[in-house]
Amino acid sequence: MSTPRHSGEHVIRTAFIRSLVVIAVVAIAAYVGYRWLQPQTDTAPLIEADIQAPLIQQRSESGPPAIRFTDITREAGIDFIHVNGAYGDKLLPEIMGGGVAFFDYDNDGDQDLILVNSSYWPDHDYEQALGNPVTRLYSNDGSGRFSDVTEQAGLALSSYGMGVAVGDIDNDGWTDVYITTLGQNRLYRNEQGRFVDITASAGVAGTLHDWSMAALFFDYDNDGDLDLYAGNYVDWSPTINREIEFKVTGLGRSYGAPLHYTGVRSYLFRNDGDNRFSNVSDQAGLLEKGKGLAATAVDYDNDGWLDLVVANDTVQNFLYRNTGDGRFEENGMIEGIAFDRHGKATGAMGLDTSWYRNDAELGIAIGNFANEMSSLFVTVDGMPPFADEAVLEGLGASTRLALTFGLFFFDADLDGREDLLQVNGHLEQDINTIQPSQRYEQPAQLFWNCGEGCDNRLTLVEEVGDLYEPLVARGTAYADIDLDGDLDVVITQPGRGPRLYRNDQDIGHHWLRVSLEGSKDNRNAIGAIVELSAGGVTQKKLLMPGRSYLSQVEMPLLFGLGNNSTVEALTVTWPDGTRKQVKVDQVDTVIHIKQEL
């Protein structure tokens, strides 16, 4: 039996945990201060500890079901090649790009695909020989086959692009696109399938000196329209990069670690209507300098206001609690997600949240650097502080060697429990010559959620078809591209082509796909929560497409039902807090739910 949140035992335990956190923070601060006062030496080379490969966790007696993904990139018509301009100077942005998003840009009911491109460096321009690299938009014909519609859609952006966010900023029923870049970001308004650049008038570009990565549309002030978070990475320029002169013994010049770059502040833009935004970062309390690579929003304290989670690279992660008065307070250390289980900052890249246990406990998963296991922060009795349960849940040993970028929760086998996919790839092409445990190209890892039936809830699946092809993976997203009821996956690579994988599981599990349409103030219904009960189990999902790394997943919510052919109850909590109960008469189908005005 769980302890009530306000019981004496819970209060004492929470106070004790927070006391330990405070003690750990003071100790870390003292250590950092001591090191800071020591004489400085030249920049140390990037060297990773050589560790032994971990043992794979034992599977449950029945083992994971047969899940197979098939590479259909070529036959699906995806001919995109990411250009990063790498020519040997090892400039840090070359290894960081690869944004991708699934969204229905033309309102025909299927999921289209946008792939963000970077570019050549100004002093090494190969456009005449290789063509001008641009971000590409691919239209889905409904069967999972795509055609390039970039030019006619007006989305042929040529920039050093990074990430992407999608959302209907003006509630006209057409989903708009925001692209982060090395330099000024771009906002495109969707005018019935054709995009128009409104960056200047909207006021969301940032500056020429910014390096923006993560972006997220969410309604932070509960006024009904979508606001915008744009996460900035580090203070970088080619001059700074070359002056630092990173070198690794055995490799020569390398990309180096972000430890030697200064963190920067990020942006929060408030939607003021009429396609105009105001920079409210200061008054909202987003004052901390971080190195943000991923961001998502979730109401972690159940007070009716969306909070902001930011994964920072080599510095503490941020958890911005929304106080409900237009401000945030940064509670990452207090709530237990700032550092890993050893009290250290990690090379945090990808990020996602989920009620993956089908109970009140919220999980926050973060993908980390090589030799750092992925983090899985979980609440206690449905409320913070969080505890890192990666080892107990089965992620620990299996994720330690991997260098993880994108990750997300999704129900790969439609059994009603959300699994976890993380995609991996190193930074240095020749890393294996000095680190035998490391590879430049690394396979993805799919962890099957076996519920209460295993020693470890999340079990590494050993065979998943083409999905384990070693890649230099960065962004990843999911969508049901062929409308067959299961979720397909795309993975991007810097300086290479992406991979599109069709989910070919054929287990026979039932499913229900839920498409939401909010009121005139939030047409996408971003921030809505859907709870579905079947077979005595209740699943809870948040409509928040911004997740993973530089990426966005589809907006419809997919519920796996396992062997259950009926739904006992389905409730939608709309972003404004109103609730709607929906009777479900049929499964293995799509239902569209519209908020009543």
Side-chain angles (χ1 to χ4, degrees):
M1 180 179 297
S2 62
T3 304
R5 176 190 169 194
H6 300 292
S7 71
E9 180 183 343
H10 181 88
V11 172
I12 293 170
R13 179 172 57 191
T14 300
F16 177 69
I17 292 174
R18 290 182 173 172
S19 297
L20 291 179
V21 171
V22 171
I23 292 170
V25 170
V26 171
I28 292 168
Y31 175 74
V32 171
Y34 169 76
R35 291 300 300 271
W36 180 261
L37 294 174
Q38 302 309 301
Q40 300 298 304
T41 58
D42 294 337
T43 300
L46 173 64
I47 301 177
E48 299 172 28
D50 190 8
I51 63 176
Q52 296 299 315
L55 296 175
I56 302 300
Q57 298 291 338
Q58 294 297 316
R59 296 187 294 174
S60 64
E61 291 184 3
S62 59
I67 309 172
R68 183 174 182 81
F69 287 84
T70 303
D71 185 345
I72 61 167
T73 311
R74 186 181 298 273
E75 66 182 83
I78 305 300
D79 56 0
F80 176 85
I81 298 295
H82 182 269
V83 174
N84 62 3
Y87 60 90
D89 254 15
K90 301 277 187 168
L91 302 180
L92 189 58
E94 296 167 358
I95 57 175
M96 302 301 289
V100 59
F102 283 113
F103 74 117
D104 185 4
Y105 93 94
D106 51 4
N107 286 354
D108 64 354
D110 50 49
Q111 298 300 306
D112 309 301
L113 180 66
I114 184 171
L115 291 156
V116 178
N117 215 340
S118 297
S119 189
Y120 305 108
W121 296 110
D123 51 348
H124 288 75
D125 191 344
Y126 303 106
E127 290 184 13
Q128 291 185 353
L130 301 175
N132 184 28
V134 298
T135 288
R136 291 288 172 186
L137 177 66
Y138 290 87
S139 177
N140 188 347
D141 68 0
S143 69
R145 294 184 179 274
F146 294 82
S147 56
D148 190 334
V149 295
T150 308
E151 301 296 338
Q152 61 254 47
L155 206 57
L157 171 63
S158 179
S159 69
Y160 210 97
M162 288 288 156
V164 57
V166 298
D168 187 356
I169 64 170
D170 50 6
N171 296 304
D172 64 351
W174 297 83
T175 302
D176 311 298
V177 173
Y178 185 73
I179 297 175
T180 61
T181 76
L182 180 64
Q184 292 184 308
N185 303 325
R186 307 290 278 274
L187 176 62
Y188 289 88
R189 181 173 184 265
N190 188 342
E191 297 184 352
Q192 299 186 24
R194 180 165 180 82
F195 292 89
V196 176
D197 189 338
I198 62 168
T199 308
S201 61
V204 293
T207 75
L208 289 171
H209 302 291
D210 290 332
W211 179 2
S212 297
M213 298 292 285
L216 178 73
F217 284 111
F218 74 118
D219 183 8
Y220 87 95
D221 51 4
N222 282 1
D223 66 350
D225 51 30
L226 293 178
D227 310 299
L228 174 64
Y229 173 82
N232 292 323
Y233 187 34
V234 294
D235 183 10
W236 181 92
S237 71
T239 300
I240 295 173
N241 200 140
R242 294 185 180 106
E243 286 178 349
I244 294 176
E245 188 67 18
F246 292 107
K247 289 186 178 180
V248 174
T249 302
L251 289 184
R253 186 169 178 83
S254 72
Y255 284 103
L259 288 167
H260 305 287
Y261 295 98
T262 303
V264 293
R265 291 180 55 190
S266 296
Y267 295 120
L268 180 64
F269 297 105
R270 184 187 63 216
N271 191 333
D272 295 330
D274 296 325
N275 298 316
R276 295 180 183 275
F277 292 76
S278 296
N279 184 348
V280 296
S281 309
D282 288 350
Q283 57 257 50
L286 271 66
L287 306 177
E288 290 76 15
K289 290 184 177 181
K291 300 178 183 180
L293 289 182
T296 193
V298 64
D299 182 9
Y300 80 91
D301 54 358
N302 300 315
D303 65 353
W305 299 85
L306 284 171
D307 310 298
L308 184 63
V309 191
V310 180
N312 285 311
D313 191 1
T314 69
V315 296
Q316 68 189 64
N317 301 314
F318 295 152
L319 181 57
Y320 285 106
R321 178 181 172 270
N322 192 333
T323 60
D325 58 358
R327 292 184 56 81
F328 292 86
E329 56 182 23
E330 203 290 292
N331 287 344
M333 285 191 289
I334 295 174
E335 304 292 27
I337 77 159
F339 304 107
D340 69 6
R341 61 199 307 268
H342 301 294
K344 297 180 180 180
T346 60
M349 266 77 79
L351 169 68
D352 197 10
T353 70
S354 172
W355 293 276
Y356 69 99
R357 293 178 178 172
N358 289 339
D359 59 14
E361 309 306 341
L362 175 68
I364 299 177
I366 297 179
N368 294 317
F369 200 78
N371 300 336
E372 299 172 341
M373 69 180 68
S374 296
S375 301
L376 182 55
F377 302 103
V378 185
T379 56
V380 179
D381 297 331
M383 293 297 290
F386 292 81
D388 189 349
E389 299 194 3
V391 173
L392 295 177
E393 294 288 58
L395 293 182
S398 297
T399 63
R400 191 170 187 84
L401 287 181
L403 199 168
T404 302
F405 278 85
L407 58 71
F408 53 69
F409 289 98
F410 76 136
D411 190 350
D413 60 341
L414 304 177
D415 65 353
R417 299 184 298 267
E418 289 209 304
D419 313 300
L420 179 69
L421 176 72
Q422 64 173 44
V423 301
N424 312 309
H426 212 281
L427 314 182
E428 299 289 348
Q429 188 167 357
D430 299 322
I431 189 64
N432 183 249
T433 63
I434 61 170
Q435 285 290 313
S437 66
Q438 290 296 316
R439 298 289 188 276
Y440 182 51
E441 299 170 324
Q442 300 180 8
Q445 293 172 299
L446 176 62
F447 291 89
W448 176 60
N449 186 341
C450 62
E452 304 295 336
C454 308
D455 292 337
N456 296 315
R457 182 184 300 270
L458 297 173
T459 302
L460 182 63
V461 183
E462 295 178 358
E463 297 291 340
V464 289
D466 297 334
L467 187 61
Y468 280 0
E469 170 192 7
L471 301 175
V472 189
R474 295 298 185 260
T476 185
Y478 64 73
D480 184 2
I481 62 172
D482 47 8
L483 301 177
D484 66 349
D486 52 31
L487 294 174
D488 312 293
V489 172
V490 65
I491 302 174
T492 68
Q493 304 182 90
R496 301 182 175 193
R499 294 290 187 272
L500 181 63
Y501 298 98
R502 185 183 62 220
N503 189 337
D504 287 334
Q505 66 82 30
D506 190 22
I507 302 169
H509 286 160
H510 297 291
W511 52 273
L512 185 69
R513 187 174 171 85
V514 179
S515 174
L516 300 180
E517 181 180 345
S519 69
K520 62 180 181 180
D521 292 328
N522 184 353
R523 193 69 64 89
N524 290 141
I526 289 177
I529 291 176
V530 179
E531 295 173 89
L532 179 149
S533 298
V537 175
T538 298
Q539 302 177 52
K540 181 179 179 181
K541 296 183 188 291
L542 170 68
L543 201 170
M544 186 59 60
R547 56 184 70 193
S548 185
Y549 172 79
L550 306 181
S551 303
Q552 306 268 285
V553 303
E554 67 171 3
M555 291 192 193
L557 300 174
L558 181 67
F559 290 86
L561 303 177
N563 295 322
N564 299 297
S565 58
T566 59
V567 171
E568 297 154 10
L570 189 148
T571 303
V572 180
T573 302
W574 298 102
D576 62 6
T578 61
R579 293 168 63 87
K580 180 181 179 66
Q581 293 186 341
V582 179
K583 188 176 185 299
V584 179
D585 297 319
Q586 184 180 355
V587 299
D588 301 330
T589 189
V590 181
I591 62 172
H592 184 83
I593 305 174
K594 185 174 182 179
Q595 185 177 12
E596 299 172 357
L597 299 179

